[in-house]
Amino acid sequence: GSGNVLLVVGNPTILDPEDAFKKSLFEAWGYTVDVQNDDAGQTSFDTKIAANDVVYISETIDSAALGNKLNDAPIGVVNEDGWINDNLGIESANSSNWPVGKSIVITDTSHYITLPFTSGSLLIYDADMGGLAIDNTPAPDLQSLANWGADTGLAVLESGAVTAGGTPTAGRRVMLPFGRDTLM
C-alpha cells in the first residue's frame, strides 16, 4: 500500500496497545500514519483530513468527544465504533449490537473488499470475541457485505450514497465487523 491514514484514537500520547498495533500494521503495509486525538477541534480535523487519504476510527475513541467531526469528510472513513454509526449515516441510531463469535458470513463477494473471499463463513478470530453489527435501520444505500448471524457486520456506503439521514455521503463509509466500544 501507499498513502496516508489518519488514525483517530482516544489517547495519541500513550497509544492503547491495540492502537499501537494498528499503527504499526498500517506502516508495515507501506502507509504513512497520522494519529489524531478524538477530542481535537474541527479545524484540526479539517486540516488533517485534507492531508490524508482515509480516516480509520479506532474503538478506543470517545464517541461524544468525536461527535460529528467526520460527517462531511470527503475521504473514506473506516469505522470500528458503533456509537458513531448514526453520525456517519450508516444506520438510524448508534449501534449497540455486539454479537460474540469467531466467524462472520460473507454474503456479497461483488465488492472489492470481499472479492478475494468465497461466500460463506470466514474465521476472523481464534476464540469467541465481541463484534459489531447494525442494530437499527440501515441507510437505504448501505451495501451489506458480511453478517454476524442475521445482522450486518461489514457494510459500505459508497461516496454519494444515501445515508440513514437521507442525505448523500461526502465520501465512502465502511463499518468493520469488529471493535467494541468499552465506554458503555
Side-chain angles (χ1 to χ4, degrees), residues 130-149:
L132 176 59
I134 299 286
D135 193 44
N136 298 289
T137 306
D141 287 346
L142 190 78
Q143 186 175 2
S144 175
L145 303 178
N147 291 346
W148 281 103

Side-chain angles (χ1 to χ4, degrees), residues 14-28:
I14 302 171
L15 288 178
D16 179 277
E18 289 127 11
D19 290 335
F21 176 77
K22 288 170 198 157
K23 181 178 184 294
S24 177
L25 182 63
F26 294 153
E27 289 171 341

